[in-house]
Each structure stands twice: as C-alpha cells, then as structure tokens.
Amino acid sequence: MLRQVILAASRSGALRRVVEHAPVTKQVVNRFVPGASLDDAVHATTELVTSGRAVTIDYLGEDTLDATQAQATADAYVALLGRLADAGLTRQGRAEVSVKLSAVGQAFDEAMALDHATRICQAAADAGTTVTLDMEDHTTTDSTLDILGKLRQDFPGTGAVLQSYLHRTEADCRDLATEGSRVRLCKGAYKEPASVAFQGAKDVDRSYVRCMKVLMAGPGYPMLATHDPRLVAIGLDLAKERAKGTYEFQMLYGIRPTEQERLAAEGETVRVYLPYGDEWYGYFMRRLAERPANVTFFLRSLASKS
Ligand code: FDA
C-alpha cells in the first residue's frame, strides 16, 4: 500500500518541488546517487572498479517531452563514454552505461529515441563497451523491446531489462535467451495494474525464480539484478552449472555494498548500477518505495533539521 502511494507520488510535480527543496534531501539522496557531475560519476566508478566491481552508469532523467532535453541527454552519454574510455574504465566492459529510452524521446517520437540510442551505442562501441536499455513502466515494454531488436542488428551486445512482476516476462525471457544475449532480470520498480503484473511479493519472487531458470539454462548472458538474499542464493546455485564470467550479479549503488564486496571476493562478476545527475527525483522515490525503512529514515532526517 505504502509502495503504491510513493510510486504514485513519484510522478507528482507538486510533491517533487517539496521533496527537491526539503532541507536535508541532498544528504539523504547521496546514499543512492553519488553526485550530480560527470566528475562525480567518474570518481565513483573508479572507486568501484578499483574495488573489483563492474559498473553500469545511468545519467539520470526520464519521461522527457522536450526534443532539446532528449538531445542533451544523448550528448551527456556520449561525453560520459569518452571520459570513461580516456580513464581506462571501459576496458573489458568494466564500465558500461544504462539508458532510459523515455529520457531520449520515446514518449513523443520513437524514431528520435532510436536515433539517440544508436548514437549512444556507437559511442559505447568506440569506447569498447556496451549499453543496456533500462525497462520502464509496462506501456513502454513493446516499444523498448522493438528498439532493442533494431539496435542489436548493429550492436549485438546491447542489453535488455526484463521485470519479473509482469505476467509476460517468462515468455519474454524465452525469446531473449539466445546466444550472447545480455538480459538483466529485476523484479520491477513501477506502479503496475493487476491486469499486467503480479501484485503480491511472493508471486513476483516466484516469477523471478522461473525467469532466472530460463535465462540461466540458456546460451545468453544473464544479469541477475536483485538484493534479495534468497534470490541471490538461488542464482548462485543455478550458476554452478555455468562457467564464471558467463553471467553476472547486479545491485544498485548504496544498497547492500558489503554483499556486493562479498560476491566479488568469491570471484563473481558484480556490476553496480550507478546513477548521477540532477534529475534524481523519480529514481530516489522508487528507492524509497522499495523499503519502508527508507521512508522512515527520510522523514526522521527531515524532522531532525526542522
Ligand atoms: P526487494 O525489494 O525484495 O529487496 C530485497 C532486500 O534488498 C531488502 O530486504 C533490502 O535489504 C534490500 N533493498 C532492496 N531495495 C532497497 C532499497 N531501496 N533501499 C535499501 N535496501 C533495499 N527496475 C525496473 O523496473 N527497471 C529497471 O531497468 C531496473 N534496473 C535495475 C538495475 C539494477 C542493477 C537493480 C539492482 C535493480 C533495478 N531495478 C529496475 C529495480 C528493481 O526492479 C527493484 O525495484 C529493486 O532492485 C528492489 O528489488 P530487489 O530484487 O532488490 O528485492
């Protein structure tokens, strides 16, 4: 219930202004977002790579209806990839990027979104690394998978994201479990209706296990994105049938860092999803929605400052 309320709020302009101007927000946000600038992103990436983890970087922004903004986002990714390559961080794909198509025009001009995504994929290829297309709410799934298919014609390493809360996802996993296909499996972070998505946590988890089994049995490259200890343990069990380096675990920046280090120390590939930029509101609200304790932490820090 609380999750649904916060997710609804994550798309409210009025609440956005309140949260963005709250006295302590920056300090609280920094737990999940290491900074706003390109330098902040490169610095945090360097630290993670030095600690033995891989990284996928998200230049924050989503749901734009403005062509100039979409262009600026694509430009920011191209600049980021250049900086990462210059710093030697893209070697062996240690650092790659995650892109939300809604940040590059998907909502109003799919062809424009494809053009921008193509430019970002080309910059990633020039830098020796890859792009993963984040998955957003269910109204965008078909469009995103369609654009993925087009991008993969020239950039076969482009990664997909599938969300286990959607009823359709087990079938999508079967379609995408092909040779070399990079697929990130997550639970899903948006407010979705019962007509398309499982509503109970247990059903979402069971679906995650079914999807994970499909991906881990196939010839693709599964990217298991979860902090859930039970699902990580099942993933490790399924991984016994595979060579290390043919799959990876993924977690968000600032969440379960000790577990990230533990898995990396055991020789697992662990990739951290690292967001940066000014447009942190939607991302931050989804992190609050995932864990009631985060809301309490946020409200307490507000109370202590006021
Ligand atoms: P769950 O929410 O059950 O959490 C399990 C445990 O992890 C919790 O008990 C807690 O210990 C810890 N935890 C989880 N979230 C936390 C938080 N916010 N703060 C503190 N602790 C937390 N979604 C999407 O719709 N599209 C996408 O493209 C992506 N991309 C993506 C990339 C990566 C690398 C990750 C890890 C996740 C995503 N997600 C996503 C988000 C995903 O769908 C999901 O909302 C979160 O990962 C939380 O789900 P868990 O699997 O971690 O389980």
Side-chain angles (χ1 to χ4, degrees), residues 31-32 134-135 161 163 165 184 186-190 225-229 250-252 255-256 273 287 290-291 294:
R31 177 179 164 199
F32 302 113
D134 282 349
M135 191 58 86
V161 177
Q163 300 150 316
Y165 63 15
R184 175 193 302 159
C186 63
K187 289 188 186 179
Y190 295 80
T226 181
H227 315 94
D228 187 327
Q250 297 192 343
M251 295 192 188
L252 301 177
I255 302 183
R256 303 201 71 208
Y273 185 103
R287 302 296 76 82
E290 280 154 7
R291 203 164 178 239
N294 290 344

Side-chain angles (χ1 to χ4, degrees), residues 164-168 192-194 196-201 203-204 207 210:
S164 74
Y165 63 15
L166 294 184
H167 299 147
R168 60 178 284 169
E192 300 289 14
V196 299
F198 299 110
Q199 304 293 303
D203 289 330
V204 175
S207 169
R210 289 195 300 274

Side-chain angles (χ1 to χ4, degrees), residues 40-288:
D40 293 332
V42 173
H43 178 72
T45 302
T46 305
E47 281 191 345
L48 287 164
V49 168
T50 306
S51 77
R53 284 167 280 179
V55 182
T56 184
I57 307 170
D58 165 33
Y59 176 65
L60 288 163
E62 53 199 88
D63 292 339
T64 190
L65 296 174
D66 175 355
T68 309
Q69 178 64 38
Q71 172 78 40
T73 297
D75 291 347
Y77 272 106
V78 172
L80 167 66
L81 284 156
R83 274 290 297 280
L84 293 171
D86 290 347
L89 291 165
T90 49
R91 237 174 271 136
Q92 291 146 4
R94 295 309 285 174
E96 64 134 33
V97 297
S98 283
V99 175
K100 283 188 175 50
L101 290 175
S102 80
V104 291
Q106 184 184 33
F108 64 98
D109 186 343
E110 274 189 30
M112 176 196 288
L114 174 61
D115 281 351
H116 286 317
T118 302
R119 199 157 69 87
I120 297 167
C121 285
Q122 185 60 59
D126 294 344
T129 193
T130 47
V131 174
T132 296
L133 299 183
D134 282 349
M135 191 58 86
E136 303 179 65
D137 73 67
H138 80 277
T139 62
T140 67
T141 309
D142 282 329
S143 158
T144 300
L145 293 180
D146 183 50
I147 291 176
L148 173 84
K150 290 176 177 146
L151 291 171
R152 280 186 169 181
Q153 288 169 16
D154 291 323
F155 307 101
T158 308
V161 177
L162 296 175
Q163 300 150 316
S164 74
Y165 63 15
L166 294 184
H167 299 147
R168 60 178 284 169
T169 294
E170 200 179 334
D172 286 336
C173 284
R174 278 195 210 97
D175 288 348
L176 287 181
T178 53
E179 186 69 40
S181 168
R182 296 171 63 249
V183 180
R184 175 193 302 159
L185 179 65
C186 63
K187 289 188 186 179
Y190 295 80
K191 183 173 181 288
E192 300 289 14
S195 54
V196 299
F198 299 110
Q199 304 293 303
K202 283 202 176 122
D203 289 330
V204 175
D205 291 359
R206 281 189 204 109
S207 169
Y208 194 104
V209 175
R210 289 195 300 274
C211 293
M212 184 160 47
K213 284 182 176 163
V214 172
L215 295 175
M216 291 295 272
Y221 183 86
M223 304 186 280
L224 306 179
T226 181
H227 315 94
D228 187 327
R230 213 180 120 255
L231 295 180
V232 170
I234 296 171
L236 284 169
D237 205 44
L238 294 169
K240 286 181 189 149
E241 305 295 317
R242 299 180 69 108
K244 282 208 167 52
T246 66
Y247 63 93
E248 68 186 40
F249 289 94
Q250 297 192 343
M251 295 192 188
L252 301 177
Y253 178 87
I255 302 183
R256 303 201 71 208
T258 313
E259 175 67 355
Q260 296 172 13
E261 284 167 6
R262 182 189 75 83
L263 288 168
E266 285 179 5
E268 300 295 341
T269 303
V270 177
R271 190 176 297 276
V272 178
Y273 185 103
L274 189 153
Y276 81 102
D278 290 318
E279 295 288 317
W280 49 260
Y281 177 76
Y283 181 86
F284 175 67
M285 294 300 276
R286 288 193 292 278
R287 302 296 76 82
L288 289 192

